[in-house]
Amino acid sequence: MIDLFISAFVTLFVVIDPPGCAPIYASLTTGASAVQRRSMAIRATLIAGFILIFFAMFGEALLSFLHIDLDSFRIAGGVMLFIIAIDMVFEKRTERREQRAEKLMATPEVEDVSVFPMAMPMLAGPGSIASVMLLVSQNSGLDRALVIFGALLLVLLLTLAALLLAGPFMRLIGNKGEAVITRLLGVLLAALAAQFVIDGLKASFSSLA
């Protein structure tokens, strides 16, 4: 169970990427009051948590309804995560986030960014949705599901803390520190994504044998 918790925590932490979301949130909420920033951070985390839990619980049934094999989803999810990892290593993901932030900051009024783009697609994006679905599908049983949800809860709490402390956090690590963290997480995510693909291929070929 401890190994499962660590594996789920690392996977979700790397995909959701609280350190990477913090500077974007800080730039998106420029001009907002402290109360507004706190309210949007809490709301974004809660909405993202609800979305991820929903897909973790009912995602497999949705795949079955759409006649999509779970092994195929494992492979597709692994490929998707690998693409995200490449973007992280080469800073493409950060560039897209910054461009999205600049567009939203072009509006003079303080805009509520809790639902879009923070909750979706930054926190509960394709990568994190695929990750929770894969983790739950690979670990049947209520006790294992609760362990995964516990890891998700911890990641979301760390994400909320990162959003609330976005300003001081960015001043502490700086742009270079953020770039180093993002690249390290990207390499780790690439390895996890490769494992998802390998597991999916193994399961597919074993079912054909």
Side-chain angles (χ1 to χ4, degrees):
M1 287 300 181
I2 294 176
D3 290 341
L4 174 60
F5 180 86
I6 294 173
S7 174
F9 174 79
V10 171
T11 302
L12 294 171
F13 185 86
V14 169
V15 176
I16 295 175
D17 189 18
C21 291
I24 304 302
Y25 181 72
S27 62
L28 285 173
T29 54
T30 301
S33 66
V35 174
Q36 288 173 320
R37 287 196 299 269
R38 183 167 61 252
S39 176
M40 284 188 283
I42 294 172
R43 198 155 51 242
T45 307
L46 287 175
I47 293 170
F50 174 79
I51 293 169
L52 293 174
I53 290 173
F54 174 83
F55 277 97
M57 294 175 64
F58 305 109
E60 192 171 351
L62 179 62
L63 289 181
S64 177
F65 176 76
L66 296 174
H67 304 290
I68 298 174
D69 188 72
L70 191 56
D71 295 327
S72 300
F73 188 80
R74 284 195 184 103
I75 297 170
V79 172
M80 188 184 303
L81 293 179
F82 192 80
I83 293 172
I84 293 173
I86 292 175
D87 284 351
M88 290 173 70
V89 172
F90 293 101
E91 289 288 280
K92 298 296 183 182
R93 193 184 189 197
T94 302
E95 286 178 13
R96 286 200 298 270
R97 281 176 168 175
E98 290 174 349
Q99 289 171 0
R100 192 182 298 131
E102 288 172 2
K103 289 179 182 178
L104 288 173
M105 288 171 63
T107 56
E109 71 277 0
V110 176
E111 187 173 350
D112 186 351
V113 297
S114 59
V115 178
F116 176 84
M118 289 310 304
M120 289 186 68
M122 286 192 179
L123 301 182
S128 52
I129 289 173
S131 296
V132 293
M133 288 179 63
L134 288 170
L135 287 167
V136 171
S137 66
Q138 289 176 332
N139 297 277
S140 59
L142 180 61
D143 53 346
R144 290 179 170 270
L146 290 176
V147 170
I148 294 169
F149 288 148
L152 174 61
L153 177 61
L154 180 56
V155 172
L156 290 174
L157 288 175
L158 291 174
T159 302
L160 176 59
L163 297 184
L164 293 174
L165 301 172
F169 180 74
M170 279 311 298
R171 287 194 294 271
L172 178 65
I173 68 170
N175 292 332
K176 290 185 178 180
E178 182 208 344
V180 171
I181 292 173
T182 300
R183 283 183 167 88
L184 288 174
L185 293 177
V187 172
L188 186 58
L189 180 59
L192 291 168
Q195 190 61 53
F196 278 145
V197 174
I198 291 170
D199 291 343
L201 290 172
K202 280 183 178 178
S204 296
F205 283 118
S206 64
S207 63
L208 292 175

